[in-house]
Amino acid sequence: MASSSRTSFVLASRASKLAQIQTNIVRDDLEAAFPALSFGTSFMTTEGDKNQSQALYLLGGKALWTKELEVALKENVVDMLVHSLKDVPTILPDGCEIGAILERENPVDSLVVKQGLPYKTLEDLPEGSVVGTSSVRRVAQLRRSFPGLVFLDVRGNLNTRLAKLDAPDGPYTALILAKAGLVRLGMGDRVTADLTAPILFHAVSQGALAVEILADDQETRKLCKMLTHQETQWKCLAERALLRELEGGCSVPVGVSTSLSQIDKSTGELTHAVLTITGCVTSLDGSVHVQDTLSQEVESIQGAEELGRNLATKLMSNGAKAILDDITQDRRKRTSEAKTAE
């Protein structure tokens, strides 16, 4: 929508209940910051929403959740796209950019036990218990510490997955879910226990919302600047630079944990901080795990991204490349087998 001095803007996202809640969070923030402007919403179903039967591991990259939305953005049908940043590809289409990254919710994963069962931790679960998750990152890491548990794919939106968990005849004893989504949906009371590093490193950018815009849309960029939470931005861009360098897609077992300590607090802007990032890559069976940490003073987004790239290089030289190569071969083989079976 290229006309100058616009007074109305349209935010678009996926049609799931969680995506709508997240879009409304961004809309409300914009309305509070710019009361003279009008902000509408539009929701659409993406390819990732339509295909609920195949395992995420075999479906390909993150563009499944963003491609249709980006078409609407490029055709000037909408002005901003609201995403869970962890679902956004690390390389965006030409002409698109991340305009804002909002303050992050708690990025950890959580254990959610079937209603009526007494278990409080993963350690409590009896051997052979079925734990539902669609994330190979979670499965790969948790297999290291909990080889006696059985991990089973579970797809659908959060309400659907929780219904599958609580079904009396359902196979699942528990699910592993992102805490941020449960909290935003008002279901934080379903969290049995948080799973934190070093047991489980969360996904890149987990818990953060992002706004994608057209790179040449100066008006919208100015609005987005008001939304950005700099500490979250620096952390998430470091994590995304790590993942981009590792060439990890939606279903590659790359985990992270990032902290930031601001040094110069003399201004309202974040200009100088110590950034610490831990990254790990784990083989699908959990038998090989490569993990490392880098920490340094950074003074810009570019410095944060450089730290992420440097950590990726270190991980690759310490064995992550061999793990990722094996995963790529395994995915190709299983995708081919799935097509043959159709």
Side-chain angles (χ1 to χ4, degrees), residues 83-297:
H83 304 296
S84 292
L85 186 52
K86 73 181 177 69
D87 293 335
V88 178
T90 55
I91 298 175
L92 296 178
D94 288 344
C96 298
E97 68 178 30
I98 299 297
I101 299 176
L102 283 71
E103 185 170 3
R104 195 177 207 168
E105 275 279 0
N106 190 336
V108 300
D109 292 301
S110 295
L111 174 71
V112 178
V113 171
K114 188 188 195 97
Q115 284 186 331
L117 294 182
Y119 313 121
K120 300 298 182 190
T121 66
L122 277 172
E123 288 83 358
D124 291 345
L125 300 186
E127 190 154 327
S129 294
V130 176
V131 177
T133 176
S134 298
S135 161
V136 293
R137 169 189 56 84
R138 293 171 183 148
V139 173
Q141 290 186 59
L142 291 175
R143 274 184 174 147
R144 298 176 62 229
S145 303
F146 303 97
L149 297 178
V150 177
F151 295 94
L152 186 64
D153 197 58
V154 57
R155 294 288 311 278
N157 62 40
L158 272 176
N159 288 317
T160 300
R161 280 181 273 173
L162 288 169
K164 290 178 180 179
L165 168 66
D166 293 331
D169 56 348
Y172 304 102
T173 301
L175 302 180
I176 311 293
L177 300 167
K179 182 170 188 170
L182 287 164
V183 169
R184 289 186 183 125
L185 278 167
M187 298 178 179
D189 61 327
R190 285 304 307 264
V191 172
T192 305
D194 290 337
L195 304 173
T196 57
I199 294 297
L200 185 55
F201 288 86
H202 61 74
V204 164
S205 305
Q206 188 159 305
L209 299 182
V211 180
E212 184 179 357
I213 62 173
L214 293 176
D216 61 359
D217 188 347
Q218 301 298 333
E219 283 186 271
T220 304
R221 182 183 289 120
K222 286 177 186 173
L223 302 183
C224 285
K225 190 173 180 185
M226 298 291 293
L227 296 172
T228 293
H229 183 256
Q230 282 188 295
E231 183 175 326
T232 301
Q233 181 188 42
W234 285 28
K235 287 181 185 177
C236 286
L237 292 180
E239 294 171 12
R240 282 172 62 80
L242 163 72
L243 185 59
R244 187 183 301 116
E245 205 72 16
L246 293 174
E247 297 184 338
C250 191
S251 296
V252 171
V254 176
V256 292
S257 180
T258 311
S259 64
L260 183 146
S261 176
Q262 190 168 345
I263 294 173
D264 181 6
K265 297 184 179 179
S266 60
T267 69
E269 294 279 311
L270 179 58
T271 57
H272 195 189
V274 174
L275 186 60
T276 302
I277 178 169
T278 299
C280 66
V281 179
T282 313
S283 64
L284 293 176
D285 63 2
S287 63
V288 185
H289 179 81
V290 179
Q291 179 181 320
D292 220 318
T293 302
L294 286 181
S295 182
Q296 71 180 46
E297 292 185 21

Side-chain angles (χ1 to χ4, degrees), residues 53-78:
S53 57
Q54 242 183 319
L56 289 179
Y57 177 62
L58 303 179
L59 273 176
K62 301 180 181 183
L64 287 165
W65 282 270
T66 58
K67 193 173 179 182
E68 286 97 338
L69 292 163
E70 284 163 344
V71 169
L73 182 66
K74 285 189 162 190
E75 291 180 350
N76 295 315
V77 176
V78 302

